[in-house]
mmCIF file of all heavy atoms in Angstrom:
data_model
loop_
_atom_site.group_PDB
_atom_site.id
_atom_site.type_symbol
_atom_site.label_atom_id
_atom_site.label_comp_id
_atom_site.label_asym_id
_atom_site.label_seq_id
_atom_site.Cartn_x
_atom_site.Cartn_y
_atom_site.Cartn_z
ATOM 1 N N GLY A 423 -37.068 -13.772 0.648
ATOM 2 C CA GLY A 423 -36.843 -13.868 -0.782
ATOM 3 C C GLY A 423 -35.512 -13.292 -1.204
ATOM 4 O O GLY A 423 -34.834 -12.599 -0.431
ATOM 5 N N THR A 424 -35.140 -13.578 -2.444
ATOM 6 C CA THR A 424 -33.858 -13.117 -2.986
ATOM 7 C C THR A 424 -34.074 -12.543 -4.378
ATOM 8 O O THR A 424 -34.772 -13.147 -5.197
ATOM 9 C CB THR A 424 -32.856 -14.277 -3.069
ATOM 10 O OG1 THR A 424 -32.693 -14.861 -1.785
ATOM 11 C CG2 THR A 424 -31.502 -13.810 -3.589
ATOM 12 N N ASP A 425 -33.500 -11.380 -4.634
ATOM 13 C CA ASP A 425 -33.506 -10.799 -5.978
ATOM 14 C C ASP A 425 -32.351 -11.438 -6.742
ATOM 15 O O ASP A 425 -31.250 -10.889 -6.815
ATOM 16 C CB ASP A 425 -33.345 -9.278 -5.889
ATOM 17 C CG ASP A 425 -33.366 -8.605 -7.253
ATOM 18 O OD1 ASP A 425 -33.444 -9.315 -8.281
ATOM 19 O OD2 ASP A 425 -33.273 -7.365 -7.292
ATOM 20 N N ASP A 426 -32.612 -12.626 -7.295
ATOM 21 C CA ASP A 426 -31.537 -13.402 -7.912
ATOM 22 C C ASP A 426 -30.945 -12.723 -9.136
ATOM 23 O O ASP A 426 -29.748 -12.858 -9.394
ATOM 24 C CB ASP A 426 -32.055 -14.796 -8.289
ATOM 25 C CG ASP A 426 -32.358 -15.638 -7.060
ATOM 26 O OD1 ASP A 426 -31.409 -16.059 -6.384
ATOM 27 O OD2 ASP A 426 -33.549 -15.858 -6.768
ATOM 28 N N SER A 427 -31.744 -12.002 -9.899
ATOM 29 C CA SER A 427 -31.209 -11.340 -11.099
ATOM 30 C C SER A 427 -30.150 -10.306 -10.732
ATOM 31 O O SER A 427 -29.100 -10.214 -11.375
ATOM 32 C CB SER A 427 -32.352 -10.674 -11.883
ATOM 33 O OG SER A 427 -33.200 -11.646 -12.449
ATOM 34 N N THR A 428 -30.416 -9.514 -9.680
ATOM 35 C CA THR A 428 -29.426 -8.533 -9.228
ATOM 36 C C THR A 428 -28.196 -9.227 -8.669
ATOM 37 O O THR A 428 -27.054 -8.824 -8.957
ATOM 38 C CB THR A 428 -30.043 -7.610 -8.160
ATOM 39 O OG1 THR A 428 -31.095 -6.851 -8.754
ATOM 40 C CG2 THR A 428 -28.998 -6.670 -7.586
ATOM 41 N N LEU A 429 -28.398 -10.272 -7.882
ATOM 42 C CA LEU A 429 -27.279 -11.024 -7.314
ATOM 43 C C LEU A 429 -26.391 -11.584 -8.426
ATOM 44 O O LEU A 429 -25.160 -11.423 -8.395
ATOM 45 C CB LEU A 429 -27.820 -12.156 -6.440
ATOM 46 C CG LEU A 429 -26.806 -13.123 -5.829
ATOM 47 C CD1 LEU A 429 -25.803 -12.384 -4.949
ATOM 48 C CD2 LEU A 429 -27.529 -14.204 -5.017
ATOM 49 N N VAL A 430 -27.006 -12.218 -9.409
ATOM 50 C CA VAL A 430 -26.249 -12.799 -10.530
ATOM 51 C C VAL A 430 -25.538 -11.712 -11.321
ATOM 52 O O VAL A 430 -24.352 -11.823 -11.643
ATOM 53 C CB VAL A 430 -27.194 -13.604 -11.453
ATOM 54 C CG1 VAL A 430 -26.508 -13.938 -12.779
ATOM 55 C CG2 VAL A 430 -27.650 -14.883 -10.760
ATOM 56 N N ARG A 431 -26.251 -10.639 -11.630
ATOM 57 C CA ARG A 431 -25.686 -9.584 -12.487
ATOM 58 C C ARG A 431 -24.456 -8.933 -11.849
ATOM 59 O O ARG A 431 -23.431 -8.736 -12.520
ATOM 60 C CB ARG A 431 -26.755 -8.537 -12.783
ATOM 61 C CG ARG A 431 -26.325 -7.481 -13.787
ATOM 62 C CD ARG A 431 -27.480 -6.561 -14.158
ATOM 63 N NE ARG A 431 -28.065 -5.922 -12.986
ATOM 64 C CZ ARG A 431 -29.240 -6.244 -12.455
ATOM 65 N NH1 ARG A 431 -29.972 -7.207 -12.988
ATOM 66 N NH2 ARG A 431 -29.704 -5.599 -11.400
ATOM 67 N N ILE A 432 -24.524 -8.613 -10.573
ATOM 68 C CA ILE A 432 -23.393 -7.942 -9.930
ATOM 69 C C ILE A 432 -22.221 -8.906 -9.763
ATOM 70 O O ILE A 432 -21.066 -8.547 -10.027
ATOM 71 C CB ILE A 432 -23.815 -7.334 -8.586
ATOM 72 C CG1 ILE A 432 -24.838 -6.218 -8.822
ATOM 73 C CG2 ILE A 432 -22.599 -6.782 -7.846
ATOM 74 C CD1 ILE A 432 -25.371 -5.586 -7.546
ATOM 75 N N VAL A 433 -22.489 -10.128 -9.309
ATOM 76 C CA VAL A 433 -21.403 -11.092 -9.124
ATOM 77 C C VAL A 433 -20.691 -11.357 -10.449
ATOM 78 O O VAL A 433 -19.455 -11.396 -10.513
ATOM 79 C CB VAL A 433 -21.946 -12.405 -8.521
ATOM 80 C CG1 VAL A 433 -20.902 -13.515 -8.619
ATOM 81 C CG2 VAL A 433 -22.336 -12.192 -7.066
ATOM 82 N N VAL A 434 -21.455 -11.509 -11.530
ATOM 83 C CA VAL A 434 -20.850 -11.811 -12.829
ATOM 84 C C VAL A 434 -20.087 -10.607 -13.380
ATOM 85 O O VAL A 434 -18.936 -10.731 -13.810
ATOM 86 C CB VAL A 434 -21.924 -12.278 -13.830
ATOM 87 C CG1 VAL A 434 -21.343 -12.363 -15.248
ATOM 88 C CG2 VAL A 434 -22.479 -13.642 -13.420
ATOM 89 N N THR A 435 -20.705 -9.428 -13.364
ATOM 90 C CA THR A 435 -20.074 -8.269 -14.013
ATOM 91 C C THR A 435 -18.884 -7.731 -13.237
ATOM 92 O O THR A 435 -17.984 -7.118 -13.816
ATOM 93 C CB THR A 435 -21.091 -7.128 -14.220
ATOM 94 O OG1 THR A 435 -21.667 -6.756 -12.968
ATOM 95 C CG2 THR A 435 -22.189 -7.557 -15.179
ATOM 96 N N ARG A 436 -18.845 -7.945 -11.908
ATOM 97 C CA ARG A 436 -17.726 -7.433 -11.123
ATOM 98 C C ARG A 436 -16.668 -8.490 -10.836
ATOM 99 O O ARG A 436 -15.637 -8.177 -10.226
ATOM 100 C CB ARG A 436 -18.216 -6.860 -9.780
ATOM 101 C CG ARG A 436 -19.396 -5.913 -9.859
ATOM 102 C CD ARG A 436 -19.296 -4.872 -10.929
ATOM 103 N NE ARG A 436 -18.172 -3.957 -10.772
ATOM 104 C CZ ARG A 436 -17.947 -2.940 -11.580
ATOM 105 N NH1 ARG A 436 -18.741 -2.714 -12.617
ATOM 106 N NH2 ARG A 436 -16.898 -2.167 -11.379
ATOM 107 N N SER A 437 -16.893 -9.741 -11.253
ATOM 108 C CA SER A 437 -16.003 -10.846 -10.871
ATOM 109 C C SER A 437 -14.579 -10.682 -11.376
ATOM 110 O O SER A 437 -13.643 -11.214 -10.773
ATOM 111 C CB SER A 437 -16.572 -12.182 -11.371
ATOM 112 O OG SER A 437 -16.652 -12.201 -12.783
#
Side-chain angles (χ1 to χ4, degrees):
T424 303
D425 181 357
D426 291 289
S427 291
T428 296
L429 176 59
V430 167
R431 186 174 56 254
I432 295 177
V433 167
V434 170
T435 57
R436 312 314 298 183
S437 62

